[in-house]
Amino acid sequence: MAASHEEEHPVKAFGYAASDTSGLLSPFKFSRRATGEKDVQFKVLYCGICHSDLHQIKNEWGFTKYPIVPGHEIVGVVTEVGSKVEKFKAGDKVGVGCLVGSCRKCDNCANDLENYCPLSVQTYNDLRTTTYGGYSDIMVADEHFVVRWPESLPMEAAPLLCAGITTYSPLKYFGLDKPGMHIGVVGLGGLGHMAVKYAKAFGTKVTVISTSPSKKQEALERLGADLFLVSTDPEQIKAGMATLDGIIDTVSAVHALLPLIGLLKSHGKLIMVGAPEKPLEIHMFPLLMGRKLIAGSCIGGMKETQEMLDFSAKHNITPEVEIVPADYVNTAMDRLKKSDVRYRFVLDIGKTLKAA
Ligand code: NAP
Ligand code: ZN
């Protein structure tokens, strides 16, 4: 008889799971695999709340398997390593982002782009196997998918592991990191505020394009943006026409792309990182007239994720976070839905997650 999931996963774990499309998260007991030869097991201290967690607990993307334990911005301290682990030892500070596996053989993997491997394994809600994320007390992952947490970064900066890399990677890959360029950031949430910070660190001029006039003062004074456009005000959009070299669009819901394409100069690039549940409409003429480009980008590979962490540590770039207790998670989801967060919730798992 084949071994049961519990036999193959003898390590008791505890966290928060949603069990249906209401997305309501409740205390949940489950189990994880024993630490394998190449595995790192760690105690979770902090886990960020990404809008992708919200999309998936409510099955907005259509592929959620319940029960789902979300969380892919996970930071903690190593408790145990397997006999063949080379990079880590007990006591090290580490992180796990959106990936815990890939084929390690395909062209993407060979080029440090595990994030584009067709067999990549997601940290939770993976399509092919059962994985549980970081709203939980412990994690275990192959050391290849574990990153070293720089000593000078606070551990509550966990959102770097998704919000950070998802905005750092396209700014670099699409060449939107050249000093003097003018970059737009659409949606000032978890991803958007990190895009502003990296774009500024690369020496570009930054315009935030937002639906929330209430975020203007903070965007300019605290996050360092140069300009702020309210996207629902046609006059403000008109004034910004043909001024941007590139745009990082982080919006989580269906929204109009036409005004954004208009904001781009000729040859400007509109990079989509947000993942709304329904398709968006693209008008062709404004794209053709100016040889403009629309592209997508998904997190980053393991090598680039470590590079982004080291860059963030060196330049003192950290997310603005609201640290909340684990049992605040459902309230945090309700507030995230309303874009009511400055600018990322982080669960204080280490101090507040208590086994039932
Ligand atoms: P978030 O914190 O909720 O930020 C999204 C922002 O979008 C909001 O703060 C809001 O900014 C704006 N927005 C929300 N609804 C809008 C609407 N109807 N029209 C226009 N703007 C709206 O979410 P997040 O965690 O940054 O994630 C953003 C998106 O990226 C999600 O879809 C998520 O799944 C996706 N994601 C993708 C990747 C990837 O690898 N590509 C990685 C992580 C997340 P304003 O108040 O400023 O308008
Ligand atoms: Zn995420």
Side-chain angles (χ1 to χ4, degrees):
M1 207 171 70
S4 69
H5 183 80
E6 278 67 30
E7 281 165 343
E8 285 179 354
H9 295 74
V11 179
K12 286 192 172 25
F14 175 74
Y16 273 85
S19 53
D20 57 48
T21 56
S22 71
L24 195 72
L25 292 147
S26 311
F28 177 63
K29 285 181 184 160
F30 62 107
S31 56
R32 296 206 185 268
R33 67 173 184 250
T35 309
E37 284 182 337
K38 296 286 282 172
D39 281 345
V40 173
Q41 187 199 68
F42 64 96
K43 178 176 161 51
V44 178
L45 294 183
Y46 294 100
C47 186
I49 298 183
C50 178
H51 205 113
S52 302
D53 303 347
L54 180 55
H55 286 304
Q56 290 179 84
I57 57 176
K58 291 178 178 285
N59 194 25
E60 289 177 356
W61 291 338
F63 54 76
T64 298
K65 290 188 292 185
Y66 294 101
I68 173 174
V69 176
H72 58 206
E73 295 180 335
I74 315 165
V75 176
V77 174
V78 175
T79 41
E80 188 178 66
V81 297
S83 58
K84 296 199 172 144
V85 165
E86 291 165 4
K87 289 193 296 184
F88 303 102
K89 58 178 188 329
D92 286 354
K93 293 178 187 171
V94 292
V96 162
C98 303
L99 295 178
V100 290
S102 71
C103 82
R104 314 284 297 273
K105 292 194 273 277
C106 69
D107 285 352
N108 289 312
C109 286
N111 288 303
D112 297 310
L113 294 170
E114 300 89 341
N115 49 323
Y116 299 120
C117 170
L119 297 177
S120 68
V121 182
Q122 307 304 302
T123 298
Y124 68 84
N125 195 33
D126 185 67
L127 285 178
R128 280 170 293 270
T129 177
T130 299
T131 51
Y132 293 121
Y135 297 8
S136 65
D137 54 355
I138 54 165
M139 269 305 286
V140 61
D142 184 293
E143 70 167 332
H144 185 77
F145 297 91
V146 177
V147 286
R148 179 168 300 286
W149 196 255
E151 225 15 80
S152 64
L153 274 182
M155 294 178 86
E156 54 267 36
L160 293 174
L161 293 163
C162 176
I165 185 63
T166 301
T167 49
Y168 177 92
S169 181
L171 284 168
K172 297 213 76 159
Y173 176 75
F174 289 101
L176 301 176
D177 58 347
K178 309 288 176 283
M181 277 185 159
H182 190 172
I183 305 300
V185 173
V186 194
L188 197 61
L191 270 57
H193 92 290
M194 290 311 303
V196 172
K197 291 194 178 203
Y198 288 124
K200 286 307 294 179
F202 296 146
T204 70
K205 178 176 173 185
V206 176
T207 292
V208 170
I209 302 134
S210 169
T211 58
S212 308
S214 63
K215 295 179 183 173
K216 178 173 180 175
Q217 194 179 354
E218 232 171 36
L220 300 177
E221 291 173 10
R222 190 178 164 98
L223 303 177
D226 299 283
L227 295 164
F228 190 96
L229 299 181
V230 177
S231 52
T232 49
D233 180 345
E235 286 305 312
Q236 292 192 30
I237 293 293
K238 207 169 140 196
M241 292 287 272
T243 57
L244 301 177
D245 295 289
I247 295 177
I248 303 290
D249 183 336
T250 74
V251 174
S252 52
V254 172
H255 60 291
L257 296 186
L258 188 60
L260 303 179
I261 296 169
L263 292 174
L264 291 171
K265 295 177 188 166
S266 293
H267 306 133
K269 299 171 185 175
L270 173 57
I271 313 302
M272 308 303 297
V273 293
E277 59 191 281
K278 294 206 188 82
L280 308 193
E281 194 176 77
I282 301 174
H283 295 256
M284 287 309 148
F285 276 103
L287 261 193
L288 312 185
M289 303 309 292
R291 207 149 66 174
K292 298 175 185 178
L293 178 147
I294 301 182
S297 186
C298 186
I299 50 170
M302 297 317 301
K303 188 171 171 221
E304 194 177 33
T305 303
Q306 186 69 58
E307 176 192 307
M308 170 278 307
L309 282 181
D310 297 340
F311 179 90
S312 305
K314 188 169 168 204
H315 296 272
N316 219 357
I317 296 174
T318 55
E320 308 289 314
V321 296
E322 290 191 42
I323 300 173
V324 296
D327 64 4
Y328 188 79
V329 66
N330 289 305
T331 309
M333 289 296 179
D334 289 345
R335 287 185 49 199
L336 180 59
K337 181 87 194 153
K338 293 184 267 181
S339 303
D340 172 23
V341 50
R342 297 285 199 279
Y343 284 87
R344 191 64 132 191
F345 287 114
V346 173
L347 299 172
D348 184 346
I349 299 277
K351 288 203 202 77
T352 66
L353 182 71
K354 302 274 180 281

